[in-house]
Amino acid sequence: MEFKWADDISNKVYKDAIHIRKEVFVKKQKVDPSLEIDELEDQTLHLVGYINSVPSATARIYEKAPHLFKIQRVAVVSSARKTGAGKKLMAELERYIRTQNAERRCGHNLGQL
C-alpha cells in the first residue's frame, strides 16, 4: 500500500479521501453529508492509502492541542477489507504521530502512544 498525505483541500489526495468517505459513510452507512464534511476539513491532515494506484483507505488527523492528535474519519472501501489495509493505515498514522513528538493520541479506544 502506498500512502499519500494532504494538508490542502484542493489537493487530489484530499479529493480521493472525500470520495472514500462519501462511499463508506454517506452512501453505505447513511451518514448525513453535512455531518461527514465538517468545519475541520482544512484544519486536518488527510491520509489516503492506495492499492495498485486505487484509493482504498483514508483517515484524517486533527491536532487538538500541542502533541495531542485525534485520529478521525477512518474508512476502508469494501473491496479492500480483509486485506490488512486498515491495519496498515493505522500503522502509518501512528508512525506520523510519533514523528511529531506526540506524547499521546486520542480517539475511540486508542490509548497512549
Side-chain angles (χ1 to χ4, degrees):
M1 179 174 279
E2 176 188 8
F3 293 106
K4 294 183 181 178
W5 290 88
D7 61 359
D8 175 1
I9 60 173
S10 65
N11 186 297
K12 181 188 181 319
V13 174
Y14 171 76
K15 291 176 183 175
D16 288 342
I18 293 300
H19 177 78
I20 293 169
R21 288 169 46 191
K22 284 182 177 177
E23 179 182 332
V24 172
F25 298 128
V26 176
K27 184 177 174 187
K28 303 241 178 181
Q29 296 180 8
K30 308 295 186 215
V31 173
D32 184 324
S34 68
L35 297 174
E36 177 52 33
I37 310 301
D38 64 14
E39 71 282 352
L40 297 177
E41 296 301 325
D42 63 351
Q43 299 171 46
T44 53
L45 284 175
H46 302 268
L47 174 64
V48 176
Y50 296 83
I51 298 174
N52 298 322
S53 301
V54 176
S56 302
T58 191
R60 73 181 191 185
I61 298 176
Y62 176 58
E63 190 169 6
K64 291 185 65 144
H67 307 293
L68 177 63
F69 293 84
K70 184 172 185 181
I71 297 171
Q72 304 175 314
R73 307 298 200 271
V74 179
V76 178
V77 297
S78 57
S79 62
R81 294 192 187 128
K82 300 188 186 227
T83 66
K87 186 175 184 176
K88 291 174 185 171
L89 181 79
M90 292 305 294
E92 174 64 10
L93 291 163
E94 290 186 9
R95 182 205 63 77
Y96 174 81
I97 291 169
R98 282 188 197 99
T99 68
Q100 302 304 301
N101 297 316
E103 297 168 9
R104 55 190 169 146
R105 67 192 187 287
C106 64
H108 294 94
N109 301 316
L110 292 177
Q112 296 289 327
L113 266 180

